[in-house]
Amino acid sequence: MTERDIGIDQDVEVRNWASEDMVARYNVEDRYRAAVLEARKPPKPAARPAIAPRPNSPPATRPNAPASRPNTPPPRPNTPVSRPDTPPPSKPNTPPVQRPNTPAPRPNAPAPRPNAPPPQRPNTQPGQKPAADQCGAKSNGKSKRAFSTTCQTNSLTLGGVTRPITKVPDQGSSAITYKVDGGWPDPTNQQVETAYAKTGKTPDLTFEDEAKWLRKVDQLLAKGTYEEHNFIVFRGVTDKSRLDATNFAEQLYPVSGQDKVAECEALVKEKLELVIRKVRAYVDQFGILHTDVHPGNVLWDMAATDPTLIDWGRAKDVGKGRWSEHEADVREQAEFSHLKGGERLCGWSYESRDP
């Protein structure tokens, strides 16, 4: 066994390491040299520990690479990017949510009531009658609407008493008469009485004379001004109407034509005797004469046996016990208005007479 060794002097010496003389000579030196040579060798890499494979596990696969972008030029500035023609994924068995067909409410706007029509402004113009919802007392009861003679219903307050009032069918030329709903308290005993109220079609109309006569015959319940209109409230009657609207009309209508005037007038004169007796009773008791006894100012019960005189605006103070001085005038005026005047009950033609 030989080894080539290079010395300092660059001489090459071949030694025989198997000879006995070399063993002892180089025993120590060669072991040192061998150790130096061994140290000069590069270190061996450490062996990696073996990793035991997982049982029944498939080899790991790399994740799918992201899809490459389409070869489209980049979008221009301010140009919307078109979406690919692929439908969005939908949830399984889930119907799409539909938006209600109603616009979104504006901020601070009240929510519309269900199935309620939108509020409308009243169609009123100057000189035009107000709508029904503008008349009468407000529904909340906290305030009232202004009084208007054009309204069918209104609210009246006099002397601390407030009542709703409703127009009666028959109206005069200058005054408006209302039925007081719920009656009016009698100022003497606070008992609620059937009552009517009257005011003028214009605010300047007063009822001083009529109020004076009503007070004398104990029929005036209240008097005053409300919403710049002058009012009087007086006693009324219930279940009474004009003579031709009572059961007496069944006897009157068959003879009310022009061919049976005499027979009709005889029936009406019988009823006028009851009216004249009532007029005399007021003269004897109060000294007040009712001078306007026409069909519209006399109300009857359905049996046509008890007349009631209304509208005392033209009454006169004649004094008690002086009926004989005025009887003829009262009879003449009553018969003319019932038999000959525009409100006559007899002598109508069947073509012009209302059924």
Side-chain angles (χ1 to χ4, degrees):
M1 180 175 181
T2 61
E3 178 184 2
R4 178 173 291 181
D5 190 9
I6 301 176
I8 300 175
D9 53 355
Q10 301 296 321
D11 293 336
V12 178
E13 180 182 4
V14 179
R15 296 181 178 92
N16 185 6
W17 293 93
S19 61
E20 296 179 359
D21 57 342
M22 294 299 295
V23 170
R25 182 181 179 182
Y26 295 98
N27 188 15
V28 177
E29 298 178 1
D30 290 340
R31 280 185 294 178
Y32 175 76
R33 188 185 297 273
V36 173
L37 294 174
E38 185 68 22
R40 290 179 179 179
K41 291 181 180 181
K44 295 180 180 181
R48 295 180 180 178
I51 300 175
R54 297 181 181 178
N56 300 327
S57 59
T61 58
R62 295 183 178 179
N64 296 331
S68 60
R69 297 182 180 178
N71 297 326
T72 56
R76 297 179 181 179
N78 301 326
T79 303
V81 180
S82 61
R83 297 181 180 179
D85 298 331
T86 57
S90 59
K91 297 181 180 180
N93 300 327
T94 302
V97 179
Q98 297 181 356
R99 297 181 179 178
N101 296 325
T102 56
R106 296 180 179 179
N108 301 326
R113 296 180 180 179
N115 300 326
Q120 297 180 356
R121 296 181 179 178
N123 297 324
T124 56
Q125 296 179 358
Q128 190 178 20
K129 291 184 178 181
D133 61 346
Q134 293 180 283
C135 297
K138 286 186 177 180
S139 59
N140 58 16
K142 296 181 180 179
S143 56
K144 61 180 178 57
R145 299 186 186 277
F147 175 83
S148 174
T149 57
T150 60
C151 294
Q152 182 66 23
T153 60
N154 275 287
S155 179
L156 173 63
T157 300
L158 291 177
V161 179
T162 301
R163 291 289 189 275
I165 55 177
T166 304
K167 281 184 180 180
V168 300
D170 296 331
Q171 297 292 339
S173 58
S174 59
I176 303 175
T177 304
Y178 298 88
K179 173 70 183 299
V180 178
D181 300 331
W184 199 274
D186 189 326
T188 60
N189 54 20
Q190 297 303 311
Q191 182 177 355
V192 178
E193 303 284 348
T194 301
Y196 289 82
K198 181 185 288 189
T199 189
K201 292 185 177 180
T202 57
D204 57 344
L205 185 63
T206 62
F207 303 93
E208 296 297 333
D209 291 340
E210 186 172 359
K212 179 176 65 175
W213 308 131
L214 287 172
R215 185 178 288 108
K216 286 191 174 184
V217 297
D218 193 26
Q219 291 192 16
L220 185 67
L221 297 176
K223 175 180 176 294
T225 302
Y226 177 70
E227 296 287 341
E228 300 180 356
H229 283 74
N230 300 305
F231 276 89
I232 56 173
V233 181
F234 49 90
R235 300 181 191 272
V237 292
T238 58
D239 301 327
K240 285 195 173 185
S241 57
R242 292 167 55 107
L243 183 61
D244 53 359
T246 65
N247 295 336
F248 178 70
E250 298 178 1
Q251 306 176 38
L252 185 64
Y253 187 78
V255 296
S256 60
Q258 294 179 348
D259 54 340
K260 298 181 180 180
V261 174
E263 187 176 352
C264 177
E265 289 182 351
L267 292 175
V268 174
K269 286 181 180 181
E270 291 179 3
K271 297 300 178 182
L272 287 181
E273 289 299 323
L274 299 177
V275 177
I276 293 173
R277 292 177 191 174
K278 184 73 68 171
V279 176
R280 179 177 179 177
Y282 280 103
V283 174
D284 293 342
Q285 184 177 357
F286 302 104
I288 305 300
L289 177 65
H290 196 299
T291 62
D292 195 11
V293 184
H294 63 80
N297 285 341
V298 183
L299 300 182
W300 299 79
D301 59 335
M302 291 304 296
T305 58
D306 182 24
T308 298
L309 299 176
I310 63 172
D311 194 354
W312 290 79
R314 298 181 180 180
K316 292 181 179 181
D317 188 353
V318 295
K320 298 179 181 180
R322 303 182 63 178
W323 166 249
S324 59
E325 301 177 14
H326 305 282
E327 179 179 3
D329 294 336
V330 172
R331 186 178 298 276
E332 180 181 1
Q333 191 268 336
E335 290 183 355
F336 177 83
S337 62
H338 282 77
L339 303 177
K340 306 296 182 180
E343 296 180 84
R344 66 184 183 274
L345 302 177
C346 301
W348 290 94
S349 64
Y350 291 104
E351 291 79 9
S352 60
R353 175 96 180 195
D354 293 335

